[in-house]
Amino acid sequence: MNSFLVIRSIHITCVALSLGGFVTRGILRAFNSRLLQTRFVRVIPHVIDTLLLVSGVRLAMLIGFAANANWLLTKLGALLVYVVLGSVALKHGSSRLICVASWLGAIVIFAFIVSVARTHLPLGFFARN
Ligand code: HEM
């Protein structure tokens, strides 16, 4: 297997782990679970998200950033929105309603990012065929 496919596999594995971790932490937060304070739950998501970003940047270098700038920049912009919504959902939301709404919004943005990655189109699943 060439290095592109290896890094792409790592990237996609991190995508799945990152989403699974985010969904789980949102549920734990909604039920005020003490599991959220454990070292494992606090540290592992940062490790996975760092690996997700590093593998994404490496993939972008391998396929050429300039030639793919339109959908890659959309992905990065949507990633920023995801990070903001995620931090409201898991940390800064002042009520359960705000936390749950931000959590759901973050999951929709995450799905949009995946659709942009799969189609290489800036509009992702909003693009007309
Ligand atoms: C939440 C963040 C991210 C998600 C959910 C995500 C999702 C994905 C998915 C599902 C794929 C595989 C697409 C396919 O089936 O071909 C992929 C590939 C890729 N991602 Fe990401 N990604 C994220 C972050 C990033 C970042 C930060 C970068 C770089 C700036 C990046 C760059 C790439 C590149 C270059 C590919 C390879 C596309 C190809 O196969 O030609 N990703 N991403």
Side-chain angles (χ1 to χ4, degrees):
M1 224 187 340
N2 68 31
S3 67
F4 175 81
L5 291 179
V6 172
I7 297 169
R8 189 166 163 276
S9 302
I10 293 171
H11 190 66
I12 293 173
T13 303
C14 292
V15 168
L17 292 175
S18 180
L19 180 64
F22 180 75
V23 169
T24 307
R25 281 179 295 151
I27 294 169
L28 294 177
R29 165 100 203 228
F31 290 100
N32 283 324
S33 169
R34 273 195 270 151
L35 278 175
L36 273 178
Q37 313 309 327
T38 59
R39 185 180 288 256
F40 183 80
V41 175
R42 284 157 59 115
V43 173
I44 289 298
H46 293 299
V47 176
I48 292 168
D49 290 343
T50 303
L51 205 53
L52 175 66
L53 283 180
V54 171
S55 58
V57 169
R58 186 73 193 116
L59 285 174
M61 288 161 69
L62 286 172
I63 65 171
F65 187 84
N68 296 280
N70 57 355
W71 66 272
L72 280 174
L73 287 174
T74 305
K75 227 178 148 182
L76 285 171
L79 182 60
L80 284 182
V81 178
Y82 171 72
V83 169
V84 171
L85 285 174
S87 80
V88 172
L90 300 180
K91 274 197 194 126
H92 304 294
S94 52
S95 70
R96 182 176 287 208
L97 182 65
I98 289 176
C99 289
V100 172
S102 308
W103 180 73
L104 289 173
I107 292 170
V108 171
I109 296 289
F110 196 96
F112 172 69
I113 297 174
V114 170
S115 76
V116 172
R118 290 198 54 83
T119 58
H120 290 195
L121 295 171
L123 288 177
F125 51 45
F126 294 111
R128 287 163 188 256
N129 295 319

